[in-house]
Amino acid sequence: MEAVLGLLVMSLLVSQGETLCDGRKNRTLCYGALGGTVVLQLMDNASEIPRYEWKNETTVILKGTNSSVITNHIEERSLFTLSNGTLMINNLNRKDSGIYTLKLFDKDLRISEERTLNLSIQAPVTSVQLTPECLFEGEKRISCSAGGGDSPQFSWTLDGRRLTEEELVSGADETNSVTLKLNVSGQLVCWVHNNVSNASGTMELDTCGDYLSILAGVLATLVILIVVALLIIYFLKKKQHNKTKEEDDGHELTYADVRIVQQQRRPVGHRPEPEVEYGQVKFSERPRQPGARTDDCVYSEVRKAR
Ligand SMILES: *[C@@H]1O[C@H](CO)[C@@H](O)[C@H](O)[C@H]1NC(C)=O
């Protein structure tokens, strides 16, 4: 469980940043690592070539004869070896990218050969990070990120072999993230490369299932506790409500000792209105509610006077 959730393994195997490129064929594409070194084979044996000139779009970089170098525009960070026709350039920078033209001359200083070379400087991959993530239903997604590298390309292995269709939920082998099925475990390696570097990151896979079942248990317990708590609150409220209602009932209008004394018969048409006498008019203590009945007074000893 912890292995998948918390672990962030990063291991790195970056190649030395030195590339070798044979530029003896026309239109060769060569790569160099930014800050690194490239060794370009420009010709066979310079000692057998009367005159040669290597230039980029604007500037002559290298000019020489079969016995010596006449001009080296980047002398402080390069070395030309006549005997094997190689030019080693150190401390490569982005500006070194471009198309270079080599001209070879014969004894009579006529061009005997001309060819181009395309040099591309790429930043090497400096770090590889694997980020695991448990998905729903125990699947896990592992993302691989390459630090620093230009145009990184990804591939994956599990315990030293390629991932199979049975293990993958999604994410092809050549993407920077893979989604693996529930019970896939082992040592997962993300390989990153570009034209100037290789690097890899390794992590030990664990199943997300264990984690999920624990999580499910915790969640179920929580839900039960919440339901019990809600039920307790509900019944307490209900009980309190009933009690209040009973108290309210006690304040309702009470007539006590209402007596109507029958009047003596009088001749018709001469019947005086009966007078009502109220004694001890009490009001309940209950505060007035808006819209509530306003006649909850208590009459006691209501007597009809003669
Ligand atoms: C290069 O050419 C020179 C002159 O022909 C010869 O002496 C030398 O051995 C050659 N070097 C290689 C490495 O072939």
Side-chain angles (χ1 to χ4, degrees):
M1 172 182 129
E2 292 87 349
V4 172
L5 280 181
L7 201 73
L8 202 76
V9 180
M10 197 197 88
S11 69
L12 197 62
L13 288 164
V14 184
S15 63
Q16 280 303 308
E18 184 176 308
T19 49
L20 185 72
C21 188
D22 187 348
R24 286 176 296 178
K25 279 201 177 103
N26 192 22
R27 298 167 78 171
T28 303
L29 175 59
C30 295
Y31 291 96
L34 186 64
T37 298
V38 68
V39 178
L40 302 170
Q41 176 138 32
L42 298 179
M43 55 201 93
D44 291 318
N45 183 344
S47 304
E48 292 173 349
I49 301 164
R51 199 83 179 239
Y52 45 88
E53 188 185 287
W54 194 62
K55 58 179 284 192
N56 64 18
E57 283 93 342
T58 55
T59 314
V60 174
I61 307 294
L62 183 78
K63 199 154 102 178
T65 67
N66 57 2
S67 59
S68 67
V69 171
I70 300 167
T71 307
N72 184 348
H73 189 71
I74 49 170
E75 198 172 10
E76 70 288 349
R77 58 185 181 102
S78 71
L79 179 69
F80 184 66
T81 308
L82 273 83
S83 61
N84 61 15
T86 59
L87 176 67
M88 181 173 78
I89 309 171
N90 299 310
N91 217 345
L92 291 165
N93 60 68
R94 300 258 184 206
K95 284 180 188 164
D96 290 326
S97 290
I99 293 168
Y100 295 81
T101 307
L102 178 72
K103 284 176 183 160
L104 302 180
F105 301 89
D106 62 16
K107 292 196 295 283
D108 305 318
L109 296 181
R110 284 177 308 206
I111 293 171
S112 60
E113 242 183 288
E114 188 174 335
R115 52 179 176 253
T116 60
L117 181 154
N118 187 353
L119 180 60
S120 173
I121 306 301
Q122 279 193 341
V125 179
T126 53
S127 68
V128 176
Q129 251 186 352
L130 286 172
T131 312
E133 182 189 355
C134 279
L135 301 179
F136 196 60
E137 289 174 342
E139 292 170 354
K140 45 200 167 281
R141 181 192 296 134
I142 295 97
S143 305
C144 183
S145 65
D150 288 329
S151 322
Q153 290 186 291
F154 298 88
S155 62
W156 300 80
T157 57
L158 181 66
D159 292 333
R161 50 164 185 79
R162 295 182 71 128
L163 290 165
T164 61
E165 290 280 320
E166 287 70 39
E167 289 158 342
L168 280 164
V169 176
S170 70
D173 184 45
E174 274 120 40
T175 59
N176 65 343
S177 96
V178 285
T179 304
L180 300 172
K181 285 181 185 163
L182 177 65
N183 288 317
V184 178
S185 63
Q187 194 182 59
L188 185 75
V189 181
C190 170
W191 302 91
V192 187
H193 79 272
N194 62 9
N195 295 102
V196 298
S197 63
N198 293 294
S200 68
T202 306
M203 70 170 292
E204 201 63 40
L205 277 183
D206 216 332
T207 53
C208 284
D210 300 340
Y211 155 68
L212 272 187
S213 57
I214 290 166
L215 186 73
V218 169
L219 276 180
T221 312
L222 265 178
V223 166
I224 288 167
L225 283 176
I226 288 168
V227 166
V228 167
L230 284 177
L231 280 175
I232 289 170
I233 289 168
Y234 173 74
F235 282 118
L236 280 176
K237 282 253 161 139
K238 202 177 175 186
K239 211 175 155 190
Q240 202 176 17
H241 182 71
N242 286 346
K243 215 175 153 191
T244 319
K245 216 176 168 187
E246 272 166 34
E247 279 169 6
D248 286 352
D249 288 348
H251 282 289
E252 272 183 2
L253 189 63
T254 310
Y255 298 95
D257 197 14
V258 179
R259 267 173 286 166
I260 297 171
V261 182
Q262 197 63 43
Q263 271 195 323
Q264 277 186 326
R265 281 210 176 258
R266 297 273 166 104
V268 182
H270 195 70
R271 211 169 130 186
E273 286 299 308
E275 280 176 39
V276 179
E277 192 182 90
Y278 302 93
Q280 285 188 0
V281 178
K282 275 188 259 165
F283 293 91
S284 74
E285 296 295 309
R286 197 166 53 146
R288 285 284 138 82
Q289 303 276 315
R293 284 169 40 176
T294 53
D295 56 349
D296 49 357
C297 42
V298 179
Y299 302 94
S300 108
E301 291 186 55
V302 179
R303 249 176 274 136
K304 205 176 183 185
R306 258 170 231 267

